């Protein structure tokens, strides 16, 4: 991960305050791809704390927490999504993105606003 830090820093410098949006987007995309949200929170938390972002440490922690929660909601590989899909005899992608997608998006927007206004 240390090899990616200069690229991440350059991206954070270009995005500025909009890095508030990039952190959850990256987190959720990696979570949907199959990486467990708790592992992502630890790895991304360590990497992002070494960068100089226009966010306070508390705001960054809130972003990671909100992103982790949304990833658990919208990931087709999450346990509750798989269990719900099995019991209702539907595909996990349908449960994760179609049924939980709007709630996850709303939760993400409120969480990002809260993290932004906090810091």
């Amino acid at each position: 991960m240390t090899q990616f830090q200069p690229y991440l820093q350059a991206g954070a410098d270009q995005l500025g305050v909009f890095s508030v949006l990039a952190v959850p987007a990256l987190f959720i995309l990696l979570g949907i791809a199959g990486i467990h949200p708790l592992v992502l929170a630890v790895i991304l938390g360590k990497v992002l704390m070494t960068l100089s972002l226009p966010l306070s440490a508390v705001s960054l922690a809130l972003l990671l927490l909100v992103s982790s929660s949304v990833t658990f909601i919208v990931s087709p590989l999450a346990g509750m999504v798989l269990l719900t899909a099995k019991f209702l005899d539907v595909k996990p992608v349908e449960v994760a993105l179609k049924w939980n997608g709007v709630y996850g998006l709303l939760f993400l927007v409120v969480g990002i606003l809260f993290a932004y206004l906090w810091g």
Side-chain angles (χ1 to χ4, degrees):
M1 284 307 255
T2 57
Q3 295 173 346
F4 292 115
Q5 284 178 339
Y7 302 111
L8 291 174
Q9 184 63 55
D13 291 342
Q14 282 186 329
L15 290 174
V17 75
F18 292 109
S19 60
V20 171
L21 301 174
V23 170
L26 176 67
F27 195 104
I28 293 168
L29 289 175
L30 289 172
I32 289 175
I35 301 175
H36 197 276
L38 293 178
V39 173
L40 276 173
V42 170
I43 292 173
L44 286 179
K46 285 187 176 224
V47 170
L48 293 174
M49 290 305 278
T50 62
L51 301 177
S52 60
L53 295 173
L55 303 168
S56 68
V58 174
S59 291
L60 187 59
L62 285 172
L63 281 177
L64 290 174
L65 183 63
V66 166
S67 300
S68 178
S69 300
V70 171
T71 302
F72 275 117
I73 294 169
V74 299
S75 175
L77 302 173
M80 289 306 294
V81 171
L82 290 172
L83 195 64
T84 303
K86 182 180 185 218
F87 284 136
L88 297 177
D89 197 31
V90 295
K91 294 181 180 181
V93 173
E94 184 177 353
V95 173
L97 298 178
K98 185 177 178 186
W99 296 357
N100 294 348
V102 174
Y103 173 73
L105 183 62
L106 180 65
F107 186 70
L108 181 65
V109 168
V110 170
I112 288 173
L113 285 174
F114 188 72
Y116 179 73
L117 294 174
W118 187 279

